[in-house]
Amino acid sequence: MASNGPSDAASPLRTSLPTHGRSAAATLGEMFQRKASDAEWLKGRTFSLVYPTGRADVDAILLEANVAYMFENALNPLKFPSLATMQREVVNMTSSLVNAPSSSGAGFSSGGTESIFLSVLVARERARVERGIGHGNIVFPESAHPAFAKAAFYTGLEARATSLSEDFTADLAALEAAVDENTVLIIGSAYGNPHGVVDPIEAMSNFALDRGIAFHSDTCIGAFVLPFLERLGIEVPPFDFRLPGVTQMSCDVHKYGYSTKGASVIVYRDAAWLQHQVFDYDVWPSGRYRTASVAGARAASPIAAAWSLMTYLGEDGYLDIMRGLVTTVATMKDGISALPGLRILGNPIGPLLTFTSDTDDIFAIADVMDDHGWHLNRIGSPNGLHMMISPLHGLYAEEFLTDLASAVANHGPSRGIGAGYNGR
Ligand SMILES: Cc1ncc(COP(=O)(O)O)c(C=O)c1O
């Protein structure tokens, strides 16, 4: 059977299982040969997808925890009570970070997209049961992550995206105009991915509260950033359960919580709402089948890794990392703003930012950066280059800024690679 999936330079794409096995050395040799064509995130070349701390002790904990649980299955907590306890603790620790009230309930999921899916499902079910809504809609500023539109697609809801203000945060008037009696969920982001700015969560959630509509504060990025910026005395707009209108929040441990992939938490103001994300089936010959998230069999290592890292670092560990990150972000921001024509969009107060050029074609500058091996995401309206800065970038900020200065000074016409392209 032919396959059209991506290949690489190292070896041709296989289309069937090899007839005979081979040595471990040959197998792993080929794997690492293929891996050599991947982005060099360990050298600070990527600005999304991976969130490296650059700390050997952190990586060692993550490695050990992943290996210790790589064969277990988180589907059945009765067989692996250690997993159930660690999962409970990850969920509790994360909930407390975002000031969830004692009435709250939360679940573990595989990532931001699954947390968002569960949140949308719960909003739909609550609206059906409590308000009799059969064909609902969800309303979000267009900067919200596509996971919301995807969740609406999966759950049969209408997705309504509304325009942004000049500072790239949600335009309140546009949002309010899109809401009607069938709206089951309003969404704001802290941070929004495209520009790294925080929506006016307070005003948005107050509006939702007045209308009796659920409000999701998407802190997939912010949950492990904003609380620590606040503790460092940096002014942070309200974004969490301290706002009475915030009913649910998505919090990714696998982004700025620095755990390996597969770890996110969805938190609800009222633990009773969790029942709406549970699938309970009892007519199967094999017995009762009850799950609280999308997957059946579930990887156990993300739970072990998230729990180990969170308890290893603790508040002071995260604060230490945040202090360094704040310095790196300031270096990047100052360096970018000092270059002729370059301007940072909006007012990003954290580790995400997008910059554009008022004088040059920013995508032509990106082409030269590609040639230097830097993976900057190209975003549109307006055209810009997007960075999610991680602690590791502290080691490479000067090199990055030197290459950027040279790209600004010496670039040709753009090769015409459009927005949406994620590095080379
Ligand atoms: C603001 C925001 N929400 C949700 C997501 C989705 O998270 P994931 O990729 O873990 O599914 C992302 C991903 O970058 C994000 O930036």
Side-chain angles (χ1 to χ4, degrees):
M1 188 181 70
S3 163
N4 298 320
S7 187
D8 52 62
S11 49
L13 202 66
R14 285 191 176 72
T15 53
S16 61
L17 192 65
T19 312
H20 303 292
R22 55 183 173 160
S23 69
T27 308
L28 296 177
E30 185 185 341
M31 185 188 82
F32 284 115
Q33 204 184 347
R34 289 185 163 196
K35 198 170 193 291
S37 58
D38 293 349
E40 291 188 298
W41 61 269
L42 258 174
K43 293 188 181 158
R45 267 26 192 191
T46 54
F47 292 94
S48 64
L49 304 172
V50 189
Y51 303 80
T53 59
R55 274 180 41 179
D57 59 331
V58 165
D59 292 356
I61 290 275
L62 290 170
L63 181 68
E64 187 125 349
N66 271 286
V67 170
Y69 279 86
M70 69 184 190
F71 292 112
E72 278 74 4
N73 186 347
L75 172 62
N76 189 343
L78 299 174
K79 295 281 189 290
F80 305 111
S82 65
L83 283 173
T85 311
M86 286 192 288
Q87 180 170 283
R88 187 74 260 141
E89 291 190 1
V90 168
V91 155
N92 288 346
M93 290 186 284
T94 308
S95 300
S96 86
L97 209 49
V98 293
N99 294 297
S102 55
S103 60
S104 68
F108 190 92
S109 88
S110 63
T113 299
E114 189 179 5
S115 286
I116 286 167
F117 171 83
L118 294 167
S119 163
V120 170
L121 177 70
V122 166
R124 185 194 73 180
E125 287 306 287
R126 278 191 63 212
R128 186 177 60 77
V129 173
E130 297 169 19
R131 294 163 59 202
I133 295 178
H135 297 288
N137 63 71
I138 63 170
V139 178
F140 48 81
E142 59 190 26
S143 53
H145 194 274
F148 287 99
K150 184 174 174 180
F153 169 68
Y154 280 9
T155 53
L157 295 167
E158 183 194 339
R160 296 183 178 170
T162 60
S163 54
L164 303 179
S165 301
E166 277 188 0
D167 63 0
F168 305 100
T169 62
D171 177 337
L172 272 175
L175 190 101
E176 292 179 12
V179 168
D180 63 20
E181 67 285 358
N182 289 322
T183 302
V184 304
L185 184 67
I186 300 174
I187 293 118
S189 307
Y191 301 87
N193 187 310
H195 312 98
V197 294
V198 177
D199 280 328
I201 304 291
E202 183 164 20
M204 295 166 86
S205 60
N206 281 342
F207 169 75
L209 187 62
D210 285 348
R211 298 284 299 258
I213 300 170
F215 182 86
H216 183 129
S217 176
D218 178 9
T219 56
C220 280
I221 299 169
F224 284 81
V225 175
L226 293 162
F228 296 111
L229 290 182
E230 259 187 327
R231 285 163 175 73
L232 290 179
I234 293 168
E235 203 185 326
V236 165
F239 65 97
D240 66 12
F241 286 105
R242 286 169 291 184
L243 296 170
V246 170
T247 55
Q248 48 232 72
M249 294 182 69
S250 44
C251 312
D252 288 358
V253 195
H254 71 195
K255 291 192 173 70
Y256 285 92
Y258 306 115
S259 194
T260 36
K261 293 293 172 286
S264 174
V265 176
I266 176 71
V267 193
Y268 303 99
R269 178 173 289 280
D270 186 337
W273 302 340
L274 266 174
Q275 63 171 310
H276 294 302
Q277 70 171 56
V278 172
F279 179 75
D280 196 350
Y281 190 73
D282 65 1
V283 295
W284 195 32
S286 284
R288 188 172 177 192
Y289 187 92
R290 196 170 189 274
T291 55
S293 57
V294 178
R298 272 199 303 138
S301 351
I303 298 170
W307 180 87
S308 302
L309 188 61
M310 288 173 78
T311 55
Y312 172 69
L313 287 175
E315 278 217 25
D316 52 3
Y318 277 109
L319 271 175
D320 267 357
I321 292 178
M322 188 53 71
R323 274 190 206 97
L325 185 58
V326 166
T327 307
T328 301
V329 171
T331 306
M332 289 287 199
K333 277 181 163 174
D334 291 348
I336 292 167
S337 306
L339 292 173
L342 296 194
R343 176 170 56 88
I344 291 169
L345 297 177
N347 178 30
I349 55 158
L352 266 71
L353 60 89
T354 292
F355 62 94
T356 190
S357 171
D358 292 326
T359 50
D360 292 43
D361 182 341
I362 193 71
F363 290 169
I365 294 170
D367 290 342
V368 182
M369 292 302 277
D370 284 350
D371 295 339
H372 286 288
W374 298 103
H375 293 252
L376 290 160
N377 299 344
R378 292 164 171 80
I379 79 156
S381 53
N383 289 350
L385 301 182
H386 177 251
M387 302 170 76
M388 296 173 93
I389 300 167
S390 287
L392 175 73
H393 290 123
L395 294 176
Y396 299 97
E398 292 307 331
E399 194 185 339
F400 172 83
L401 291 169
T402 304
D403 283 350
L404 185 61
S406 123
V408 169
N410 305 298
H411 62 80
S414 162
R415 292 199 280 260
I417 301 168
Y421 184 73
N422 181 6
R424 63 176 187 169

